[in-house]
Amino acid sequence: MDLWKKTLDVLEGSVEPYDFKNWILPIQCDTIDQDGREIVLSVPDASHGEWLQENFIGEIKETLRSFTQHDYRVRFTYYGAYGDDDRQAAGRSTIAPVPQGAPPDLIHRYRFEEFVDGPTNQFAMTAARAVADHPGTRYNPLFIFGGVGLGKTHLLHAIGHAVVERNPAARVFYVTSETYVNDLIAAIRTDKMHAFRKRYRDDCDVLLVDDIQFIAGKDRSQEEFFHMFNTLHSAHKQIVMTCDQLPQSIPDMEDRLKSRLQWGLIADIKPPGFETRVAILKKKAEADGMDLPDDAAMLIARHVTRNVRELEGALMRVEANARMMRREIDVHLVEQTLSDIIGDGLRRVQPDQIVKAVCAEFKVQISELKGPRRHRNITVPRQIAMYLVRELTDESLPQIGGLFGGRDHSTVINALKRVEALRDANPDTRNRIEKVRRQLRE
Ligand code: ADP
Ligand code: MG
């Protein structure tokens, strides 16, 4: 794990503090396989992993290589993706933003306080709160269903947090049904059914099962789940499940289990309406310490309608762009950043996209590209960026100089000439320019 600690130290110096805190710090190093040259990093959820994959994977790999002289494969898993407690403990380093006392599998920010309610999720949220206030007595089981990215997992974790806040002694157990199935298979294979049953029945007061639909079609899992359900239920232990559909519509599920799932309360979540989407965006931006004006929030909300995960993704892109370009968020920046979603059919390449793409390709920081340094490692990418801005946008020479740290227009002219020459002389440079240009056109 030393390798990961060293990597973190380097990243802390090279990544923007905001990004470091929000994206890098929550990573927990799970395993490092020195022989297989693979590192497994555990992150809060899938969207966090995707974000890292898109934005920081290069820097992470580069840093690993600088210590090991080898290329490492980086794989992401999600907190709570395992059933095995030991592995979980081992994978959880001390830097994780998991507060003392909260069950380890719960994502910190998935709390009721962070959940924005509106007409399409209010019933589910109220039911979830009631269950958290009176576990095992009111609605048992609580069954929350709805489409992807609508806050089911968020509510499930929120129940867990709230239960533990009220009663720190309560034993809350969160699993995805996939984890449950894997746990069961492992228990059968290693002849440890006794321990398995103890864990899920005796050592647990509130059981939270995410995405129950995955046990469909798995006979042994359904059977075990059925008996577990009966045991927990008759002991007045709370069970909460989420699913992508109604119990009666889950294909390949035993009827007796379907009927159990309908014993308590069924609550659905639908995609949020416009006002709620705006409210969600405002709340997220505030939590991120970003100022999001109403008209900018409304513009995003108008175009991203399907689910909350996509809404968050769009906001993240806008925020990242604002920080990178050191600009306030406004309607213009939103239009620019989300041109693929908002665009009027006509997609224009923006100078800052070019800068970003060149920096990614040549592995230099944007601040360096726009800064005063004259080291060849930086001047070449800087000149190439100027060249591409000239080619792909309507910016004038003085404007281009201004974009790159206030350089004057004769510097830009020289840069364009240098790149022409380099391009003709050096196939590697030519290929890299071509690659960036292709990326920008995609
Ligand atoms: P699901 O489990 O239904 O696929 P998630 O619970 O993973 O969806 O939610 C996706 C993302 O959207 C999470 O980051 C979650 O915090 C956020 N989210 C969903 N609904 C809301 C809401 N009503 N208020 C605030 N954030 C929400
Ligand atoms: Mg989910």
Side-chain angles (χ1 to χ4, degrees):
M1 294 298 146
D2 257 9
L3 175 60
W4 181 245
K5 285 218 186 76
K6 288 196 283 184
T7 304
L8 272 183
D9 283 343
V10 171
L11 291 173
E12 182 161 21
S14 65
V15 171
E16 297 263 354
Y18 175 94
D19 288 334
F20 186 77
K21 174 170 152 273
N22 285 281
W23 297 108
I24 308 292
L25 215 46
I27 303 174
Q28 301 171 7
C29 182
D30 188 10
T31 47
I32 298 178
D33 177 357
Q34 311 247 7
D35 301 323
R37 296 197 186 136
E38 183 180 77
I39 183 163
V40 180
L41 302 176
S42 180
V43 298
D45 56 17
S47 51
H48 195 113
E50 283 162 21
W51 183 258
L52 289 168
Q53 189 74 43
E54 274 179 31
N55 295 278
F56 296 108
I57 198 77
E59 253 157 315
I60 293 172
K61 285 185 167 177
E62 186 93 334
T63 311
L64 287 168
R65 180 164 51 225
S66 72
F67 286 120
T68 62
Q69 266 72 51
H70 292 302
D71 286 319
Y72 268 73
R73 234 167 331 124
V74 179
R75 210 150 54 75
F76 293 109
T77 64
Y78 314 118
Y79 300 167
Y82 313 116
D84 183 335
D85 291 342
D86 294 341
R87 263 188 77 194
Q88 234 161 49
R92 203 164 302 280
S93 71
T94 50
I95 57 160
V98 178
Q100 291 293 311
D105 299 335
L106 298 179
I107 294 173
H108 182 50
R109 72 178 179 87
Y110 286 3
R111 290 169 183 271
F112 284 125
E113 294 80 6
E114 307 290 326
F115 193 82
V116 177
D117 64 319
T120 62
N121 60 24
Q122 206 148 37
F123 183 66
M125 194 194 72
T126 308
R129 275 193 185 273
V131 157
D133 288 345
H134 307 280
T137 57
R138 279 282 174 88
Y139 309 119
N140 203 13
L142 172 62
F143 186 96
I144 301 173
F145 80 98
V148 62
L150 296 181
K152 300 184 299 295
T153 298
H154 189 135
L155 280 182
L156 202 56
H157 286 234
I159 293 171
H161 284 301
V163 165
V164 175
E165 270 157 27
R166 282 185 144 248
N167 173 13
R171 295 166 304 174
V172 172
F173 197 7
Y174 167 86
V175 281
T176 65
S177 71
E178 278 169 305
T179 303
Y180 181 83
V181 170
N182 291 340
D183 258 9
L184 175 64
I185 293 170
I188 295 169
R189 200 188 300 126
T190 56
D191 214 14
K192 294 209 172 109
M193 279 307 290
H194 184 72
F196 175 86
R197 289 189 177 132
K198 182 170 177 302
R199 183 142 36 108
Y200 279 90
R201 298 181 192 188
D202 307 336
D203 297 349
C204 152
D205 301 317
V206 174
L207 181 65
L208 309 171
V209 185
D210 212 352
D211 292 321
I212 187 77
Q213 69 270 13
F214 290 119
I215 74 166
K218 303 186 174 90
D219 293 345
R220 182 71 203 264
S221 295
Q222 291 189 49
E223 186 181 347
E224 187 59 34
F225 194 90
F226 175 79
H227 293 297
M228 175 194 72
F229 183 100
N230 291 341
T231 305
L232 291 174
H233 195 270
S234 54
H236 302 288
K237 293 180 169 183
Q238 180 70 45
I239 306 160
V240 187
M241 290 164 285
T242 70
C243 189
D244 63 353
Q245 55 202 306
L246 276 166
Q248 57 265 36
S249 355
I250 306 174
D252 290 327
M253 184 171 283
E254 282 180 34
D255 287 337
R256 59 175 188 172
L257 186 50
K258 278 187 194 168
S259 101
R260 290 295 186 279
L261 303 186
Q262 301 174 61
W263 266 6
L265 183 69
I266 297 181
D268 74 332
I269 305 189
K270 291 208 171 63
F274 180 70
E275 312 296 340
T276 312
R277 294 201 298 279
V278 172
I280 291 172
L281 288 167
K282 299 280 284 183
K283 187 161 188 125
K284 297 269 172 212
E286 196 186 321
D288 292 343
M290 303 291 283
D291 189 32
L292 178 70
D294 287 344
D295 53 355
M298 280 164 18
L299 181 61
I300 302 174
R302 209 170 290 130
H303 287 90
V304 184
T305 58
R306 231 176 332 170
N307 65 53
V308 182
R309 190 183 296 290
E310 289 182 4
L311 205 58
E312 284 184 349
L315 178 64
M316 276 196 260
R317 284 169 61 193
V318 172
E319 289 180 349
N321 233 352
R323 285 192 301 274
M324 193 174 75
M325 300 172 11
R326 294 188 166 61
R327 275 173 57 178
E328 299 285 313
I329 299 178
D330 57 14
V331 171
H332 188 66
L333 183 77
V334 171
E335 276 172 349
Q336 227 174 305
T337 312
L338 304 180
S339 58
D340 51 336
I341 304 170
I342 292 174
D344 44 11
L346 176 94
R347 271 195 63 201
R348 294 192 58 83
V349 181
Q350 298 296 329
D352 288 284
Q353 291 173 281
I354 298 173
V355 168
K356 192 180 171 196
V358 171
C359 284
E361 168 63 22
F362 289 86
K363 310 250 176 353
V364 301
Q365 300 281 321
I366 289 168
S367 55
E368 290 179 302
L369 203 82
K370 297 188 172 184
R373 282 188 64 198
R374 283 157 174 274
H375 190 277
R376 198 186 140 79
N377 284 346
I378 294 164
T379 53
V380 171
R382 184 185 294 141
Q383 289 164 342
I384 289 174
M386 289 177 173
Y387 177 86
L388 287 171
V389 172
R390 178 69 177 162
E391 184 191 339
L392 302 173
T393 75
D394 291 326
E395 302 287 329
S396 68
L397 295 175
Q399 277 171 334
I400 295 175
L403 281 170
F404 294 86
R407 293 180 156 78
D408 88 36
H409 84 281
S410 63
T411 309
V412 180
I413 293 174
N414 277 332
L416 304 181
K417 285 189 191 147
R418 280 273 325 272
V419 176
E420 302 259 352
L422 263 177
R423 197 190 51 180
D424 291 338
N426 184 337
D428 180 51
T429 308
R430 186 165 59 233
N431 288 338
R432 295 178 88 175
I433 295 173
E434 221 12 83
K435 185 173 155 202
V436 174
R437 192 187 280 124
R438 247 196 337 268
Q439 283 169 356
L440 289 165
R441 290 239 168 90
E442 259 160 30

